Amino acid sequence: MQRNKLEKVVEARRALRERFEARIKATPSLSDPAPQGSGAPNRHGMPKLPVDQIATEKWPVLDLGIHPDVPLAKWQLEIDGACAHPLRLSFEDFMALEQVDDVSDFHCVTTWSRFDVPWQGVRVSDLLALVEPHSDATHLMCHASDGYSTNVSLVEALKPDVLLVHRADGAPLAREHGGPVRMITPQLYAWKGAKWIHRLELMTADRPGFWEERGYSMTAYPWQNDRYG
Ligand SMILES: Nc1nc2c(c(=O)[nH]1)N[C@H]1C(S)=C(S)[C@@H](COP(=O)(O)O)O[C@H]1N2
Ligand SMILES: [Mo]
């Protein structure tokens, strides 16, 4: 990306983070005085294994049973809704953004947790900075090519470990895990991370996604056993 454009994104991201900073620090996955779980502290000082979870070495596949075939040349990400500059990115545009390597944990609500997954991708905060969310934007609806959707608050989505990833375990993200590009939400249950993501919709109020409409939690905090709404 051009230097002046990059600087603009960095500034927009800083402004966005600043706007949400206090609320980000106060989220349950960072500041719960009595988190439920076991094991040594994780990266954020919470117990490594959230309550009623079991650690697994394997990476199970969990979804609605539809694995859309999205060739890289066809993949697009739309970012729209309550923002000043709605945007559509190709995979090439996406790859031109700052690429982040991060390691984080993955907690599925069906009780398995997979620790220390190496990911590569783009921070959701960078993507949102590009479109300049309106000041009354509060939540994201994440839309996927299998018809799935899930809602995430901006307070959670702006955390630096929330990524749209295209690599996992040192390899391109496999189709069954949401390749070419999926979202990850390490501080929430993993259903908040849409596989085969194609749209981030900025909203001015919370709205339930696929599982949330069917009784799952709007918030999904693993250390509060926050599975159902
Ligand atoms: N598009 C899409 N994303 C999805 C799902 C889905 O059915 N469709 N399932 C969610 C659930 S419940 C979990 S636990 C994780 C599982 O990711 P994995 O199959 O890579 O383990 O993806 C989440 N994202
Ligand atoms: Mo899940």
Side-chain angles (χ1 to χ4, degrees), residues 78-87 128 131-141 143 199-205 207:
E78 203 161 355
I79 314 176
D80 64 357
C83 62
H85 308 291
L87 187 68
L128 295 180
V131 303
E132 290 179 39
H134 290 160
S135 58
D136 60 352
T138 57
H139 289 79
L140 278 183
M141 186 64 78
H143 299 268
R199 181 179 172 210
L200 293 173
E201 177 193 0
L202 280 149
M203 311 192 291
T204 55
R207 194 174 93 214

Side-chain angles (χ1 to χ4, degrees), residues 142-144 148 150 181-184 190-197:
C142 308
H143 299 268
Y148 186 81
T150 188
V181 181
R182 75 171 300 163
M183 185 155 148
I184 55 158
W191 91 77
K192 294 292 184 182
K195 300 168 30 164
W196 313 288
I197 195 160

Side-chain angles (χ1 to χ4, degrees), residues 78-175:
E78 203 161 355
I79 314 176
D80 64 357
C83 62
H85 308 291
L87 187 68
R88 188 177 299 200
L89 297 173
S90 67
F91 190 71
E92 201 184 339
D93 300 332
F94 176 76
M95 293 304 287
L97 299 171
E98 186 187 343
Q99 299 294 313
V100 175
D101 286 296
D102 200 23
V103 172
S104 61
D105 302 337
F106 194 94
H107 306 293
C108 173
V109 71
T110 64
T111 76
W112 54 268
S113 288
R114 189 174 178 231
F115 294 130
D116 307 316
V117 187
W119 307 101
Q120 190 180 76
V122 174
R123 287 195 182 96
V124 168
S125 59
D126 283 11
L127 292 163
L128 295 180
L130 287 174
V131 303
E132 290 179 39
H134 290 160
S135 58
D136 60 352
T138 57
H139 289 79
L140 278 183
M141 186 64 78
C142 308
H143 299 268
S145 299
D146 58 343
Y148 186 81
S149 60
T150 188
N151 57 322
V152 183
S153 71
L154 287 186
V155 179
E156 290 295 338
L158 291 168
K159 289 179 173 178
D161 57 0
V162 177
L163 309 176
L164 255 56
V165 297
H166 57 90
R167 290 178 74 81
D169 299 323
L173 184 66
R175 178 170 164 186

